[in-house]
Amino acid sequence: MASQDQEHFRDSIGTINESGKRAWVYPKKPVGKFYDYRKLVSYVLLLFLVAAPFVHINGNQFLMFNVLERRFNIFGFPFWPQDFHLFVIIMITGVVFIVLFTVAFGRIFCGWICPQTIFMEMVFRRIEYWIDGDRGKQIRLDNMPWNAEKIRKRLLKWSVFFVISFLIANVFLAYLIGSDRLLQYIVDGPANHSSTLISLLIFTAVFYFVFAWFREQVCIIVCPYGRLQGVLLDTKSIVVAYDYKRGEKEAGRAKFKKNEDREATGKGDCIDCFQCVNVCPTGIDIRNGTQLECVNCTACIDACNQMMEAVNLPKDLIRYASEEHIEKKTKFEFTPRLKGYTAVLIILIGVLSGMLFLRNDVEATVLRLPGQLYEHKADDLISNVYTFKLINKTTKEIENVHFELISHSGSIRVVSQETLNVPAQGLAEGTLFIEINPYTLEGEKEKLKIGVYSGARLIETTSTIFLGPRSYN
């Protein structure tokens, strides 16, 4: 590990130089087993991210987050404003899930699953390697004067980056307004939807700025997750770690010399080749220990293993391990802390599953009209006036809807509507009168239970308050 006089690296983040300016990171192209695994995972997730807003289940978009209209679809299940409590529980469950994995495995989410990392490392960075070349060529190109080659490569890279940013912005917009609406806007032409076009260009500019310039700064400066890991991680958490016991030994690190007996000289297995530093996408030295900039991308593991193999030394000098494992060779332990987070996660999943199972496809609300008292009607009936709202969460129209009293004998009459139909994923609202014989009431204010029927089928129940005179009994 770094000694006390080498701890200056903790005084600032890895992408800021001594003068306080941005230190541009030129990571070497990773090669190795873990990188191959990450490519496989990333391409599957990329396919999922791009396809999710265009896939429909039972007529519902697979994923949609329409904030303006407060409509959300998660895995094909539609959520309306009335389901906000379910949406909150889903979000809390997701956060606890990520926290659990962070406590156990560090920032594995950042390196393997986060969309920022996937797009940056597996799309934009790979295009940059294709156009500009690997680390050395990129540095030489940046230091090169503006000649024909540099202008050609820069224009090509910036153009490709812009086109991809525009495509990502379209996918992002499909998540927000719905893919069907987006495709309709495209068919109609941008001139007919100028406000949407402006939003699309703003999103494009944001994505271009993030992936072409801001890059790893998102993970280091903007995203709070890097700082959150400082609270969540402990010495038992499995992270990408450098085995300083083996790498330093008694004499410390040293360059590799052919035919040298490093065991006899007391030198560590780290040959100070800096390949782990050169390949890091956030520009840190993993040998300094766990740092907030590390996203557990495993690029340093692949680079170190290649060098160890080349000099005929054991691999896994850098590997997935906990601090306690490196220090004391202990095995992974399911700690009380992990058990606690697991218990909370199981409870949340149980509560969420139960609430989803009990959730109705129709939401009914019947409220007394404000400021209105009861009215005496013919045949000695008492009448109250109400407003109603019916929300259809399904993709099919609900026909022949009517209301019936369940708790009392009486009648319900909908104003100006003989037949009531609720459109698919829409709502119906209006006014109704409830008429009850006062002799059946027990007090001035009584709770009624109302059934909502589609034909003869009960589809929802709701309740409201009925006002009447003092009891006739």
Side-chain angles (χ1 to χ4, degrees), residues 41-276:
V41 172
S42 296
Y43 293 146
V44 170
L45 290 175
L46 276 173
L47 179 62
F48 174 82
L49 288 170
V50 172
F54 299 96
V55 173
H56 289 73
I57 297 178
N58 296 326
N60 294 316
Q61 187 169 309
F62 188 69
L63 286 178
M64 183 176 72
F65 305 95
N66 192 333
V67 179
L68 295 178
E69 297 178 4
R70 295 180 295 170
R71 289 178 55 192
F72 305 90
N73 289 349
I74 299 178
F75 303 139
F77 291 97
F79 292 88
W80 290 69
Q82 291 77 9
D83 298 317
F84 185 72
H85 59 289
L86 291 174
F87 188 74
V88 170
I89 292 177
I90 290 174
M91 294 297 104
I92 293 174
T93 303
V95 170
V96 173
F97 182 80
I98 293 174
V99 166
L100 173 62
F101 266 75
T102 303
V103 172
F105 304 110
R107 288 181 76 176
I108 193 170
F109 172 84
C110 297
W112 290 75
I113 302 174
C114 177
Q116 159 70 18
T117 303
I118 291 172
F119 279 110
M120 185 68 249
E121 300 302 323
M122 297 301 171
V123 178
F124 289 88
R125 193 86 77 183
R126 288 179 67 81
I127 291 171
E128 194 166 58
Y129 290 138
W130 170 59
I131 296 174
D132 291 350
D134 209 342
R135 171 183 164 81
K137 291 182 179 180
Q138 289 181 26
I139 294 174
R140 286 194 294 273
L141 185 66
D142 264 6
N143 294 330
M144 183 187 298
W146 283 92
N147 54 26
E149 179 188 2
K150 185 170 183 176
I151 293 173
R152 176 178 58 81
K153 287 187 174 182
R154 283 290 182 266
L155 288 177
L156 176 60
K157 183 174 76 171
W158 293 341
S159 300
V160 174
F161 278 9
F162 181 83
V163 170
I164 295 176
S165 298
F166 181 75
L167 294 175
I168 295 174
N170 275 272
V171 175
F172 183 70
L173 198 61
Y175 279 102
L176 294 181
I177 67 173
S179 56
D180 292 339
R181 188 183 297 182
L182 175 66
L183 294 174
Q184 185 60 50
Y185 287 176
I186 294 174
V187 172
D188 294 344
N192 297 317
H193 303 283
S194 56
S195 60
T196 303
L197 178 62
I198 292 172
S199 301
L200 186 62
L201 292 176
I202 292 173
F203 290 145
T204 301
V206 170
F207 287 125
Y208 182 84
F209 169 75
V210 167
F211 294 116
W213 189 82
F214 206 52
R215 301 191 160 198
E216 71 284 339
Q217 302 287 81
V218 173
C219 306
I220 299 173
I221 298 175
V222 178
C223 181
Y225 189 43
R227 284 156 178 79
L228 183 63
Q229 73 163 345
V231 179
L232 298 175
L233 295 183
D234 56 30
T235 57
K236 300 179 187 296
S237 301
I238 296 176
V239 295
V240 173
Y242 165 66
D243 189 345
Y244 62 92
K245 289 277 191 177
R246 182 185 137 199
E248 311 290 321
K249 292 185 179 176
E250 295 83 11
R253 312 167 192 164
K255 296 290 185 182
F256 177 76
K257 293 181 181 179
K258 195 174 181 180
N259 299 324
E260 180 187 32
D261 187 351
R262 297 179 74 88
E263 191 70 32
T265 59
K267 295 177 181 178
D269 283 356
C270 178
I271 60 174
D272 217 15
C273 61
F274 280 89
Q275 291 304 302
C276 60

